Amino acid sequence: MLNLYDVEVHSRLLLGTARYPSPAVLAEAVRRSKTEIVTVSLRREAAGGKAGGAFFELIRELGVRVLPNTAGCHSVQEAVLTAKMARDVFRTDWIKLEVIGHHDTLQPDVFGLVEAARILTGEGFQVFPYTTDDLVVAEKLLEAGCRVLMPWCAPIGSAMGSVNPMALRAFRAHFPDVPLIVDAGIGRPSHAAAVMEYGYDAVLLNTAVAGAGDPAAMAEAFAFAIDAGRLAHGAVPLEPRDMAVPSTPVIGKAVFS
Ligand SMILES: CC(=O)[C@@H](O)[C@H](O)COP(=O)(O)O
């Protein structure tokens, strides 16, 4: 079981709800992913006016927990205001906090992120910060009151998978007791399995499912991969070696003799 701010969930896949070909496909992807948590961009959907209302209704009907996000916010003020609106709309203290700092990479503005996290935790929010793999920033986020961290593995929507596996492993090792969710940049189920093998607690992804040829089938594939990665981590995988090691060490002997 995964414990996030005292809420226990079975599924270790958190799914984004943007860019699906249709609401029906989104609903089917959510069902086949077996996710218990979806993230929703309040700014993007609210910008649709009436359509935004219908979308929020659809999300409520999915029967999963909502993690509203501040996607598209580029300043502390915008992110804090969006979080407060999201709390009213979805009646939850959970907020996935994004403060975007760079137009090309959509890299978080980590200074603004820490500031916004401090303000929001002070107002009773339970903050899921989308951050880089920088350990110092992560420490500051914990000091600001975050009890979950969400490091990226590659830029949002890039589908690259982990571009710096060493940093992600160090991040995991540095915060053994903090729930860690890899967020953004996952492109394939194998990428998700890899970060779960590093010992991450969960994965949040959107583009890789919404943009797939068959989003619902891909959602299910991710669910299997995440479970496989988790199982493999618990089974303690071998470390790679430089040299060959014979897998059949004793030559000429009968099996088990
Ligand atoms: C939906 C959402 O929250 C994204 O901002 C998130 O970071 C996912 O990124 P990918 O689309 O790369 O999976």
Side-chain angles (χ1 to χ4, degrees), residues 154-243:
I156 294 173
S158 68
M160 285 194 283
S162 175
V163 290
N164 193 347
M166 213 174 71
L168 272 189
R169 282 168 177 266
F171 199 97
R172 174 69 281 182
H174 201 77
F175 303 108
D177 302 323
V178 179
L180 299 182
I181 303 171
V182 169
D183 174 14
I186 297 270
R188 290 165 186 256
S190 55
H191 300 157
V195 298
M196 293 302 290
E197 285 174 18
Y198 301 161
Y200 276 81
D201 295 288
V203 169
L204 187 153
L205 56 92
N206 189 153
T207 310
V209 166
D214 182 343
M218 188 59 83
E220 189 172 343
F222 268 105
F224 281 124
I226 287 165
D227 284 350
R230 175 78 187 165
L231 192 62
H233 174 69
V236 191
L238 294 183
E239 287 305 321
R241 303 165 196 242
D242 290 338
M243 300 297 289

Side-chain angles (χ1 to χ4, degrees), residues 99-117:
V99 182
I100 298 300
H102 195 273
H103 285 283
D104 293 336
T105 61
L106 299 182
Q107 178 168 348
D109 165 2
V110 293
F111 305 99
L113 182 68
V114 173
E115 192 185 333

Side-chain angles (χ1 to χ4, degrees), residues 15-18 39-41 69 71 96 98 130 154-159 183-186 204-208:
L15 204 56
T17 54
T39 184
V40 176
S41 163
N69 68 58
K96 182 185 126 144
E98 286 189 28
Y130 162 63
I156 294 173
S158 68
D183 174 14
I186 297 270
L204 187 153
L205 56 92
N206 189 153
T207 310

